[in-house]
Amino acid sequence: MDDFDKRKFNEVEAALNTLGEKAFRAVFLNLLRFDQTVIYANVQPDEREVINRFLTIEELCKIFDALEVEEMETIRFLKEMTPRLASAILSDMYMDNLADLLGRMSRSDLATYLNLLPKEQIQEVRELLNYHERTAGAIMTTEYISVNQNETVASVMEIVRKRASQAEIIYYVYVEDETEVLVGVVTLRELIMNDDSLTAKQFMKTNVFKVLVEDDQEIVAQRVKEYNFLAVPVVNTTDHLLGIITVDDIIDVMDEESTEDYSGLAGVKVDGDEQSPWISALHRMPWLLTLLLLGMSTASLINHFDSLVSQASILAVFISLITGTAGNAGTQSLAIAVRKISVQNYHKIWKIIRNEVITGIIIGVFAAISITIIVELWKHSLALGMVVGISMAAAITVANLAGSLIPILMDKIGVDPAVASGPFISTLSDLTSVLIYFSVAQIFINSIM
Amino acid sequence: MDDFDKRKFNEVEAALNTLGEKAFRAVFLNLLRFDQTVIYANVQPDEREVINRFLTIEELCKIFDALEVEEMETIRFLKEMTPRLASAILSDMYMDNLADLLGRMSRSDLATYLNLLPKEQIQEVRELLNYHERTAGAIMTTEYISVNQNETVASVMEIVRKRASQAEIIYYVYVEDETEVLVGVVTLRELIMNDDSLTAKQFMKTNVFKVLVEDDQEIVAQRVKEYNFLAVPVVNTTDHLLGIITVDDIIDVMDEESTEDYSGLAGVKVDGDEQSPWISALHRMPWLLTLLLLGMSTASLINHFDSLVSQASILAVFISLITGTAGNAGTQSLAIAVRKISVQNYHKIWKIIRNEVITGIIIGVFAAISITIIVELWKHSLALGMVVGISMAAAITVANLAGSLIPILMDKIGVDPAVASGPFISTLSDLTSVLIYFSVAQIFINSIM
């Protein structure tokens, strides 16, 4: 919470503790939903208990629908309540949020709460729970509006009006034929602009943009971003409508995916709340110490070439220049490859790798020429310059290969490519760069001395 | 374009060249808007000329509104047309897109096209053009629906119906008082659920979430993401409504900002289309060669300690281990700091730096202990282990300081912190790490030998 939020929070907390139910409701219900959730999640448990009494089930349910704290937190809030109140709230929540929440519960909690729900809802939740994580099915909601294609504008509007309080989005109405196959979509905009007696079939858009229930959420987000929709329908392979995904969920997916890519590149989770330095250190340490061990192989490789360094200590001067430059180039390739993997078809992937390697060769040659000239001017040794130059060109090319190949291989074997982080690639590239450098130096050692 | 799109493209292109106007229109207009824009942008100029003739101005205008190619491309398409057609399309476009487009034109082009627009529109565009880039004002549109607070549901619905074809979003209606100050908002959902005779004032939400016209677009996006709105109103300091920002523009901002952060961390632009390796190399080279020069200072620093390395060539073994580990830690700090800067208040920033430095010390101490033990076991030299350990702890701490301080300083002086890229921080950290390492080694040189 920043300062402004904290002031607001203190005001409402004071109102909760000093004013009665009516006055508190007046203050609290005038807040924006997001602010309500922040306050609800941050008051003391006994204060939350008072809020639970002061608000109606519908009001509490809206807060639970909007709560964006960790699911574990939300489950804790439910456990603070009587099972009766908890089940009343759960059965009023939007299906996608409910499924999200139940999906995170322990088996015993899940059994408890599932049993408290109305029978028909249990069935629906079970279905949503069975869709694979990170697919369209897992993030869709089943609260949408659909009508038969022969309904008139007047009757569709009547349906919209009736469903308006429950449906998550009412601005699209999906149109089905007699066999319940999705055949069209009409917008609320079109409904209020068209004549009451027209049927949906007469003005619906038949080229419906839709996604399959098993589609990856990242692909869905990419598509929605391109096509600028407020919601997309989710269908099965026989084109029957199963649910919709709304733009706010798409935004969450985009945010999640971009944070993941970014975290991967940095080799650190960036989405944690403010943490104490101890906890931050604890989170970063395992990865850094793993890389330290990988770095030890580079150290023992240099150790292996100890006699070479003893003969020509000048070689030590260029170690960090070569490993650094190759590491930088490899990180660039990695970033490009990770981004392209997520939106490309598989058969394009070899093209990505090929392009990165060729790019590496071009950059490598230019870097090699530059450094050869610099070393020649500085140390008056063309041989040394060429050793450094050739090594650098080769090291950059190998780093680009590793930077693009490794995340792609990881993706192929089903591991999140973001694990092949920037620090990992640059530490690995240190190893190959040193190997290349000293091998080249070994060949030319007589010219250097 | 992937394979599927290419097939679709070839089909439509064939239809354009072989079928007549009517048949082409049937095929083309049944496509989703995004697909229409992809085709429009990718056909040959003479084919585009045919499309321009086959479609109506309204249909062309919708394509131009949705075109997401570079503004320069769109300007090129306009220049292919007669000025009369171009101005007809421009004057029909949404104000935010129009302002975007005109804002990228050369002065002479701007004058030409601005003069072709209707007088009242010129004024509005001029205003939009004057808002600073990356502020709410620069991305808002002026096509929203606002009503007086005393209008009834029936009359508001009448207004919505009339404006439905022009307004960019009709799902929120903004409510103003007699002095045109924004006092509330009603949703289309509420309008269709409420009684026709109620006035807006009686059921509007008075706690309107709004942003100031000068607010940074990143802050606006962050807020919309939290509050889950489809649009937010933009006001001036006297609470007069100037425009709205719709969720599709928010998605574009999020995408732009996250791509920027990601590109910054990698030190490479990741949002380019597929490029030839030559162009990729050309784009990446300046930055890599700049870092190569910075790396040269590290090299000359090692050179400065040449006599030390000659005495104890074992020192060379640990150079890349220390620079690598510090670089990894610095990259983590950088990623955390860049992410936090964008959403934090300024007075929290010193806390970010303090936390990163303390985290660095904690990690540094653990890494130091580990490496001291490893070196002692490997080389049977506690002194050497301690030199490497102390250097590593200090180098990590300094890297964390640099990783968090530098982007923050850059942000303070108004430079995009993303410029302080991962490769820059790790190259800089190479320099400080080497300095620390050899300075420490110098002190203990007698114990190491």
Side-chain angles (χ1 to χ4, degrees):
Chain A
M1 284 190 283
D2 62 26
D3 269 11
F4 174 72
D5 291 335
K6 209 163 258 168
R7 212 167 45 237
K8 215 188 297 180
F9 179 81
N10 291 337
E11 265 173 43
V12 179
E13 200 181 26
L16 179 65
N17 292 320
T18 58
L19 309 176
E21 175 174 344
K22 204 171 155 202
F24 169 75
R25 284 175 56 83
V27 174
F28 189 78
L29 294 176
N30 193 39
L31 295 175
L32 292 173
R33 183 91 62 234
F34 177 75
D35 299 325
Q36 293 176 355
T37 64
V38 170
I39 288 166
Y40 188 85
N42 285 292
V43 292
Q44 298 301 315
D46 56 320
E47 293 173 325
R48 195 153 39 235
E49 201 262 312
V50 179
I51 298 183
N52 289 343
R53 274 191 287 117
F54 283 180
L55 299 185
T56 67
I57 287 174
E58 285 72 34
E59 287 155 0
L60 283 171
C61 172
K62 281 186 182 143
I63 291 176
F64 272 79
D65 263 324
L67 269 175
E68 286 197 1
V69 294
E70 278 290 297
E71 278 84 359
M72 301 321 290
E73 280 283 280
T74 315
I75 294 171
R76 188 163 64 78
F77 302 154
L78 285 174
K79 287 188 170 174
E80 291 172 2
M81 307 176 178
T82 61
R84 177 187 295 272
L85 178 60
S87 73
I89 291 174
L90 288 174
S91 63
D92 249 18
M93 281 175 70
Y94 286 128
M95 292 305 289
D96 53 344
N97 298 333
L98 178 59
D100 254 15
L101 199 55
L102 295 177
R104 301 298 168 105
M105 285 187 180
S106 67
R107 280 190 166 276
S108 67
D109 286 343
L110 179 60
T112 312
Y113 288 109
L114 214 48
N115 282 333
L116 291 167
L117 294 178
K119 279 253 158 17
E120 66 280 9
Q121 227 175 356
I122 297 179
Q123 183 54 29
E124 246 178 300
V125 171
R126 278 196 194 286
E127 275 169 24
L128 283 179
L129 284 178
N130 283 329
Y131 293 119
H132 293 117
E133 246 197 301
R134 296 171 161 278
T135 63
I139 56 169
M140 71 185 185
T141 176
T142 51
E143 275 109 348
Y144 55 85
I145 304 179
S146 62
V147 298
N148 183 279
Q149 57 182 348
N150 295 317
E151 301 275 4
T152 61
V153 168
S155 65
V156 173
M157 278 305 283
E158 197 45 49
I159 293 168
V160 172
R161 229 168 253 127
K162 273 203 197 114
R163 298 284 323 273
S165 66
Q166 300 141 38
E168 193 158 344
I169 206 158
I170 62 165
Y171 307 123
Y172 294 118
V173 174
Y174 298 97
V175 186
E176 299 174 334
D177 67 8
E178 279 59 38
T179 60
E180 289 188 343
V181 161
L182 178 67
V183 290
V185 61
V186 297
T187 64
L188 187 53
R189 192 193 289 247
E190 289 159 352
L191 283 170
I192 65 173
M193 286 171 72
N194 269 306
D195 198 82
D196 270 4
S197 60
L198 278 180
T199 62
K201 198 178 178 177
Q202 290 175 288
F203 67 97
M204 70 186 183
K205 194 159 175 53
T206 53
N207 186 2
V208 185
F209 178 85
K210 58 204 168 194
V211 297
L212 278 170
V213 67
E214 277 298 327
D215 278 350
D216 187 280
Q217 62 173 12
E218 198 165 355
I219 305 288
V220 176
Q222 179 67 25
R223 268 29 274 272
V224 170
K225 199 174 76 191
E226 290 170 350
Y227 287 86
N228 281 344
F229 292 120
L230 298 179
V232 287
V234 181
V235 296
N236 60 16
T237 47
T238 56
D239 259 355
H240 287 83
L241 191 56
L242 300 176
I244 60 168
I245 300 174
T246 54
V247 71
D248 55 310
D249 294 319
I250 293 293
I251 288 181
D252 291 344
V253 169
M254 284 177 57
D255 201 38
E256 190 184 316
E257 301 280 352
S258 80
T259 300
E260 254 179 34
D261 283 359
Y262 187 77
S263 298
L265 199 59
V268 62
K269 282 214 152 122
V270 294
D271 58 353
D273 259 307
E274 276 151 80
Q275 292 161 335
S276 81
W278 279 99
I279 297 178
S280 299
L282 204 67
H283 283 160
R284 299 185 205 173
M285 205 112 57
W287 191 220
L288 277 182
L289 294 185
T290 309
L291 293 178
L292 185 68
L293 291 182
L294 181 56
M296 274 306 298
S297 20
T298 310
S300 61
L301 188 67
I302 302 178
N303 187 56
H304 176 76
F305 287 103
D306 189 37
S307 64
L308 204 62
V309 180
S310 306
Q311 284 174 65
S313 64
I314 185 75
L315 287 175
V317 168
F318 298 99
I319 293 177
S320 78
L321 186 69
I322 293 171
T323 58
T325 307
N328 291 342
T331 304
Q332 292 183 329
S333 282
L334 171 72
I336 298 284
V338 167
R339 269 298 168 111
K340 285 197 176 161
I341 291 170
S342 59
V343 293
Q344 292 287 338
N345 294 329
Y346 270 102
H347 65 276
K348 286 233 175 160
I349 274 176
W350 299 110
K351 206 181 145 201
I352 298 176
I353 298 175
R354 202 198 61 194
N355 277 2
E356 284 306 315
V357 172
I358 298 175
T359 304
I361 293 172
I362 298 170
I363 292 176
V365 168
F366 275 87
I369 294 171
S370 316
I371 196 67
T372 306
I373 295 172
I374 292 172
V375 173
E376 155 67 18
L377 292 176
W378 184 29
K379 293 283 168 190
H380 310 293
S381 164
L382 186 62
L384 179 63
M386 284 180 66
V387 165
V388 176
I390 292 169
S391 309
M392 190 173 278
I396 288 175
T397 307
V398 171
N400 274 24
L401 175 65
S404 51
L405 183 64
I406 291 178
I408 286 171
L409 285 183
M410 286 189 144
D411 193 47
K412 284 241 178 203
I413 60 169
V415 179
D416 186 349
V419 176
S421 67
F424 173 68
I425 293 294
S426 62
T427 307
L428 188 69
S429 143
D430 284 355
L431 184 67
T432 56
S433 302
V434 164
L435 181 62
I436 292 168
Y437 178 39
F438 284 111
S439 304
V440 174
Q442 187 108 62
I443 299 170
F444 292 94
I445 184 70
N446 292 326
S447 327
I448 298 173
M449 301 274 292
Chain B
M1 283 191 283
D2 61 26
D3 267 11
F4 174 72
D5 291 335
K6 208 162 258 168
R7 213 167 44 236
K8 214 186 301 178
F9 179 81
N10 291 338
E11 266 172 42
V12 179
E13 201 180 24
L16 179 65
N17 292 319
T18 59
L19 308 175
E21 175 173 345
K22 202 168 157 205
F24 170 75
R25 283 177 56 83
V27 174
F28 189 79
L29 294 175
N30 193 39
L31 295 175
L32 292 173
R33 183 92 62 234
F34 176 76
D35 299 326
Q36 294 177 354
T37 64
V38 170
I39 289 165
Y40 187 85
N42 285 292
V43 293
Q44 298 302 315
D46 56 321
E47 293 173 324
R48 196 153 39 235
E49 202 260 312
V50 179
I51 298 184
N52 288 343
R53 272 191 291 113
F54 283 179
L55 299 184
T56 67
I57 287 174
E58 285 71 34
E59 287 155 1
L60 283 172
C61 172
K62 281 185 182 143
I63 292 176
F64 272 79
D65 262 324
L67 269 175
E68 286 196 3
V69 294
E70 278 290 297
E71 278 83 359
M72 300 322 289
E73 280 283 279
T74 314
I75 294 171
R76 188 163 64 78
F77 301 154
L78 285 173
K79 287 187 170 174
E80 291 173 2
M81 307 175 178
T82 61
R84 177 186 295 273
L85 178 60
S87 74
I89 290 174
L90 288 174
S91 64
D92 249 19
M93 282 176 69
Y94 287 128
M95 291 305 289
D96 53 343
N97 297 334
L98 177 59
D100 253 16
L101 198 57
L102 295 177
R104 300 299 169 104
M105 285 186 179
S106 67
R107 279 187 168 279
S108 67
D109 286 344
L110 179 61
T112 312
Y113 289 108
L114 214 48
N115 282 333
L116 291 167
L117 293 178
K119 278 253 159 16
E120 65 281 7
Q121 226 175 357
I122 297 179
Q123 183 54 28
E124 246 177 299
V125 171
R126 277 195 194 285
E127 275 168 25
L128 283 178
L129 283 178
N130 283 329
Y131 293 118
H132 292 118
E133 246 197 301
R134 297 171 160 276
T135 63
I139 56 169
M140 71 186 185
T141 176
T142 50
E143 275 109 348
Y144 54 85
I145 303 179
S146 62
V147 298
N148 183 279
Q149 58 183 347
N150 296 318
E151 301 274 5
T152 61
V153 168
S155 64
V156 173
M157 278 305 284
E158 199 43 52
I159 293 168
V160 171
R161 229 169 253 126
K162 275 205 195 110
R163 299 284 323 272
S165 65
Q166 300 140 37
E168 192 158 344
I169 205 158
I170 62 165
Y171 307 122
Y172 294 118
V173 174
Y174 298 97
V175 186
E176 298 175 335
D177 67 10
E178 280 59 36
T179 60
E180 291 189 340
V181 161
L182 178 67
V183 291
V185 61
V186 297
T187 63
L188 187 53
R189 190 193 291 248
E190 289 158 350
L191 284 169
I192 64 173
M193 287 172 71
N194 269 305
D195 197 82
D196 270 3
S197 59
L198 278 180
T199 62
K201 198 178 178 177
Q202 289 174 288
F203 67 96
M204 69 187 183
K205 194 159 175 52
T206 54
N207 186 3
V208 185
F209 178 84
K210 58 205 167 194
V211 296
L212 279 170
V213 67
E214 276 299 325
D215 278 350
D216 188 280
Q217 63 174 11
E218 199 166 354
I219 304 287
V220 176
Q222 179 67 24
R223 275 13 289 266
V224 170
K225 199 174 75 191
E226 291 171 349
Y227 287 86
N228 281 344
F229 292 121
L230 298 180
V232 287
V234 181
V235 295
N236 61 15
T237 48
T238 55
D239 260 355
H240 287 83
L241 191 56
L242 300 176
I244 60 169
I245 300 174
T246 54
V247 70
D248 55 311
D249 294 319
I250 292 293
I251 288 180
D252 291 344
V253 169
M254 282 177 58
D255 200 38
E256 189 184 317
E257 301 278 351
S258 80
T259 300
E260 255 180 33
D261 283 359
Y262 187 77
S263 297
L265 200 59
V268 61
K269 281 213 153 121
V270 294
D271 57 353
D273 258 307
E274 277 152 79
Q275 292 161 336
S276 81
W278 278 100
I279 296 178
S280 298
L282 204 68
H283 283 160
R284 299 184 206 175
M285 206 112 58
W287 190 220
L288 277 181
L289 294 185
T290 309
L291 292 177
L292 185 68
L293 290 183
L294 181 57
M296 274 306 297
S297 19
T298 311
S300 62
L301 188 67
I302 303 178
N303 187 56
H304 176 77
F305 286 104
D306 189 36
S307 63
L308 204 62
V309 180
S310 305
Q311 285 175 63
S313 64
I314 185 74
L315 286 176
V317 168
F318 298 98
I319 293 177
S320 79
L321 186 68
I322 292 171
T323 57
T325 307
N328 290 342
T331 304
Q332 293 182 329
S333 282
L334 172 72
I336 299 283
V338 167
R339 268 297 168 109
K340 285 197 175 160
I341 290 170
S342 60
V343 292
Q344 292 288 338
N345 294 330
Y346 269 101
H347 64 276
K348 286 233 175 158
I349 274 176
W350 298 110
K351 205 178 145 202
I352 298 177
I353 298 175
R354 203 199 60 195
N355 277 2
E356 284 306 316
V357 172
I358 298 176
T359 305
I361 294 173
I362 298 170
I363 292 175
V365 168
F366 276 86
I369 294 171
S370 316
I371 196 66
T372 305
I373 295 171
I374 292 172
V375 173
E376 155 66 19
L377 292 175
W378 184 29
K379 293 283 168 192
H380 309 294
S381 164
L382 187 63
L384 180 62
M386 284 179 67
V387 165
V388 176
I390 292 169
S391 309
M392 190 173 279
I396 289 175
T397 307
V398 171
N400 274 25
L401 175 65
S404 52
L405 183 64
I406 290 177
I408 287 171
L409 285 182
M410 286 189 145
D411 193 48
K412 284 240 177 204
I413 60 170
V415 179
D416 186 349
V419 176
S421 66
F424 174 68
I425 292 294
S426 62
T427 307
L428 188 69
S429 143
D430 284 356
L431 185 67
T432 56
S433 302
V434 164
L435 182 62
I436 291 168
Y437 178 39
F438 284 112
S439 304
V440 173
Q442 186 109 61
I443 298 171
F444 291 95
I445 185 69
N446 291 326
S447 327
I448 298 172
M449 302 276 292

